[in-house]
């Protein structure tokens, strides 16, 4: 089973729609056919930038995929401030990050919510990028694997194997996000391997082999290749290093 690696840039709360336009144009210019042959590349701009980025990508017939950083678990109605799966789908959004640690930390997203959001995304034909990963205390206590797997199981609860196959999982240890402190390739592989084993026991081997498992946390052009050399790591969810076109293109190139 060969899994096409995915390099996804999570812009977080950065870039006005005008800045987003410039960034995605520069990124599209910097990426090569060789990159796109070897890896899928996607950007996850803030909601208000998505329409602008979509227009740029459409006009350029770009192979860059478009994602959102979150998605509502509700279909429509009185949910002030929320953005539905159908709204995103109408803008050609094909990925949605779900349960990013910043959503869990600042917006109280628990397993019930991430699970509902995974289902909402799948229902609209959007690929969920389910983010899981432990805080520093859990790692220090040696509980990082069990903590992360509990988030995984909760987020995927009730899915069929066919649905689970469409999910991307991103392992992002909280202590490595935005800190410059990257997990060693061995640390990342330990948890990504455990994620794949768990997918096999929750679903089946076929599903476990099909799902892309990404690593996230201070990934840069200089360290992506070592991380992705590990068996169970199929790409990266990138924050800071996705905000500069040259750096993100170099990162995708090194992943390719
Ligand atoms: P970082 O963020 O690359 O800036 O550490 C990763 C993420 O939060 O997805």
């Amino acid at each position: 089973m060969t899994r096409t690696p995915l390099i996804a840039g999570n812009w977080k709360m950065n870039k006005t729609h005008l800045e987003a336009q410039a960034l995605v144009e520069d990124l599209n210019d910097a990426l090569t056919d060789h990159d796109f042959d070897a890896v899928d590349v996607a950007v996850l701009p803030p909601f208000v930038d998505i329409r602008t980025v979509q227009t740029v990508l459409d006009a350029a017939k770009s192979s860059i995929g478009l994602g959102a950083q979150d998605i509502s678990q509700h279909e429509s109605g009185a949910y002030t401030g929320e953005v539905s799966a159908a709204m995103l789908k109408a803008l050609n959004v094909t990925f949605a990050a779900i349960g990013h640690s910043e959503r869990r930390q600042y917006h109280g997203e628990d397993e019930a919510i991430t699970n509902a959001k995974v289902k909402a995304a799948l229902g609209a034909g959007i690929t969920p990028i389910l983010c899981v990963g432990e805080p520093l205390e859990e790692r220090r206590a040696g509980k990082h694997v069990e903590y992360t797997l509990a988030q995984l199981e909760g987020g995927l609860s009730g899915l069929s194997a066919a649905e689970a196959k469409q999910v991307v999982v991103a392992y992002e240890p909280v202590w490595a996000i935005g800190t410059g402190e990257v997990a060693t390739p061995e640390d990342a592989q330990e948890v990504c391997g455990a994620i794949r084993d768990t997918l096999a026991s929750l679903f089946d081997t076929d599903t476990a082999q099909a799902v892309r498992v990404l690593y996230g946390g201070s990934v840069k052009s200089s360290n992506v290749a070592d991380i992705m050399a590990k068996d169970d790591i199929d790409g990266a969810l990138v924050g800071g290093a996705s905000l500069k076109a040259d750096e993100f293109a170099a990162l995708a190139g090194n992943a390719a």
Side-chain angles (χ1 to χ4, degrees):
M1 165 75 62
T2 49
R3 298 178 292 268
T4 306
L6 171 64
I7 301 296
N10 172 12
W11 295 0
K12 307 194 180 185
M13 197 172 73
N14 294 291
K15 308 292 176 187
T16 65
H17 75 288
L18 295 172
E19 292 163 344
Q21 175 176 350
L23 174 56
V24 77
E25 282 172 353
D26 290 348
L27 180 62
N28 190 53
D29 289 344
L31 289 164
T32 66
D33 287 346
H34 172 261
D35 298 332
F36 288 121
D37 285 345
V39 294
D40 290 343
V41 180
V43 292
L44 281 57
F47 285 132
V48 294
D49 297 350
I50 286 179
R51 174 62 168 155
T52 302
V53 171
Q54 181 232 344
T55 305
V56 171
L57 296 178
D58 270 9
K61 297 196 177 18
S62 174
S63 301
I64 299 173
L66 183 55
Q69 298 172 16
D70 184 29
I71 195 166
S72 176
Q73 68 266 45
H74 304 292
E75 232 170 82
S76 65
Y79 299 102
T80 300
E82 294 286 292
V83 176
S84 76
M87 292 169 185
L88 295 171
K89 187 69 184 173
L91 290 169
N92 291 348
V93 166
T94 55
F95 295 101
I98 292 173
H100 188 280
S101 63
E102 289 147 20
R103 303 286 321 166
R104 294 177 191 263
Q105 187 179 349
Y106 306 128
H107 302 273
E109 294 196 4
D110 59 11
E111 269 61 74
I113 294 175
T114 58
N115 184 234
K117 290 185 173 194
V118 166
K119 288 172 177 163
L122 288 171
I126 292 172
T127 300
I129 303 178
L130 175 64
C131 304
V132 295
E134 82 285 354
L136 187 56
E137 314 84 78
E138 305 296 331
R139 173 148 293 257
R140 287 202 174 129
K143 298 218 166 101
H144 48 289
V145 176
E146 70 184 81
Y147 183 95
T148 301
L149 295 180
Q151 290 182 331
L152 177 76
E153 288 189 38
L156 300 182
S157 171
L159 262 57
S160 67
E163 288 170 328
K165 245 184 213 179
Q166 296 166 51
V167 174
V168 173
V169 179
Y171 168 56
E172 299 203 303
V174 178
W175 48 272
I177 295 178
T179 59
E181 188 158 341
V182 64
T184 65
E186 291 70 29
D187 286 341
Q189 167 60 31
E190 179 197 20
V191 183
C192 292
I195 287 171
R196 201 175 304 287
D197 291 346
T198 301
L199 292 170
S201 56
L202 290 174
F203 303 100
D204 51 51
T205 320
D206 202 37
T207 303
Q209 287 304 316
V211 169
R212 292 188 283 191
V213 181
L214 315 183
Y215 167 78
S218 301
V219 179
K220 305 184 264 296
S221 61
S222 57
N223 59 23
V224 68
D226 286 345
I227 292 165
M228 284 180 58
K230 294 293 177 190
D231 283 355
D232 289 302
I233 304 177
D234 308 312
L237 184 55
V238 183
S242 70
L243 294 173
K244 292 208 171 83
D246 288 353
E247 166 62 9
F248 192 55
L251 195 160
N254 290 343

